[in-house]
Amino acid sequence: MALLLGIDTGGTYTDAVLYDEETGVVASAKSLTTRHDYSVGIGQSVSRVIDEGKVAPTDIALVSLSTTLATNALVEGQGGRVCLVLIGFDETTLSRHGLSEALKGDPVIYLDGGHNGQGEALISLEEAKLQSDLAAMEGTVSAFAVAGLFAIRNPEHELRAREIILGHSGNSVTCSHELSSKLDGPRRALTSVLNARLINLIHHLITSTEALFDQTGILAPLMVVQGDGALISAEVAKVKPIETILSGPAASLVGAAFLSGASNAIVSDIGGTTTDIAVLENGSPRLDADGATVGGWRTMVEAVAIYTVGLGGDSEVAAVKAGLGLQLVLGPRRLVPVSLLAVSHGELVHDTLETQLNRERPSEIFGRFALAVGRKSAHIATLSALEKDILEQLQDGPQALDTLLVRRRYHRALQRLVTTGLVLICGLTPSDAAHVLGLHSDWDGGAAEKAATLFARIRDSKGLPIASGAEGLSRMIVEALVRKSSQTLLEAALDKDPLLPKHMAGMLLDAAMPAAVHPLVESSIGIRLPIIALGASAHIYYPDVARQLRTTAMIPEFAGVANAIGAVVGQVRVSVNASISPTESDYFRLYYTGEPLDFKTFDEAVAKAEELLTVEGTEKAVEAGARDIQVKFDRRDNIALIQGREMLVESLLKLSAYGRPRIAR
């Protein structure tokens, strides 16, 4: 039987599992994720499982990688500066599906061109304008996204635009028709923008992993988990990183089913940055037919139906005004915990915190630091002089924000560096609170206590501190995380419920709390299914979450590395689509990835569709890394009754090709 290596690179930890197809888990390890060079954290975990399992690197037949990197980047608003090329659309397109918000002021090129719903060109592509606009913005973006009107009916103009862009720039180009075969141009454009923004991040992760394996002698092929739990080759993931959004959560869902043996349950995976919730039904994950939603963006990526929020052990803790008082708010941004920063920069962190503790007036930025990730990135070329100056100041190590942000304009420049992923902010998190309370002990508890003491001194409008001290504040933070986790689970359970909308989850939970006892009315709220709680900190929070929701929490063995386990038990699966519609001239037009084809009869069109999709699906499965490929063909005919006669409106055709990943022999 084959020996498989599963790896999960999360926002905080990098996990590795060595898995024997015959005997099960051989070894597991957990190391800190090293964002300046992902291969360092990966190498530490891989080295540990190889040593613990007493195997040679050449014994490993397959490596499979799941990652929350893309998900976390979208939740936190990170990624490179991109240019969107819109063909046949006008400026009103940006107001749909949050496209304008996703662009964040990045440039847009509008071109004449595009096709109609029958795949016929409306007007020639405006090539001269594209070339002049590209020349004007040379060197200011790190990637391009191209979306053409009805490109899924005919991708000719998108492909030509990509050809022109590549002639001007070595940057990557994402075409919308390659990411989705569904109608809705603005949503395809949104998905393309997000894909383009993620390319450098995922490319860096994969190439650093490949370089590590070359050095350690691991000869096995590298696979990456998609958002639907299926596997794709690393080469495909490099150009379609959007397919890896929810990769980590999808892998954890597969791992949860494998580890727990449960057929029906709610799975909640709490990481450093996000909490990801999904439902197991009869042993299989519930799928989201409308496309994955992450960070508020509704993409067109087929994925497991996962409800993701910016809530984790490393969530930012903030004090927000609520009337005359203050309210604790967690997330959605991830911070590096102060207790973790102190492990590698102890003297600086403790000296800074002591100095701030001796000051009379508290500040909201006390206890916060900026840390340069130090990654070589295409984003550096797009930075302003001020941004480069801040980055240079951080090259020798982290700095306290109260000494770094000497002028107001520095705040915006620092935020830009955080958004591009070049700088991380360090500050108080639930992980620090857990250290103060003795629930967590891996990092520097003394630094956590000092940071919590500083935060507790923040005063409201009446001059009262938010908490009496470090311990009281830490209890408030843990209680807030438990409360928000419970609410999030309720929201996920009620998502898309027409009778009980999810926005009522908070009110329902409050009404059922012991403090809300009514003299005449008894209220309760709960979840009918057990909770499978995953993640390194699940044991800290989820027993209390389960009690609040009147259910049970299952925290299986290896719960902390469930993502890595789920990464190695999946299979390669790809799908390709086509559609057939009648034309005005009584022909049947086949739409697929090439130019539309016309046929005299419907049966001829279906036969050709099956032939083309089988070839395309098999080729994609091979490209994705599958072996022993099988195919499944599905067809759904949409029929309308017109003047007493049944008429074909559209036939939707889908071919799925699947198989186990290729392994080293």
Side-chain angles (χ1 to χ4, degrees), residues 149-161:
L149 186 64
F150 283 107
I152 63 164
R153 298 299 200 204
N154 191 333
E156 174 191 10
H157 287 177
E158 283 195 357
L159 294 173
R160 176 56 183 154

Side-chain angles (χ1 to χ4, degrees), residues 77 103 107 119 137 212 366 441 509:
L103 280 165
M137 69 170 58
L212 168 72
F366 280 179
S441 58
L509 191 61

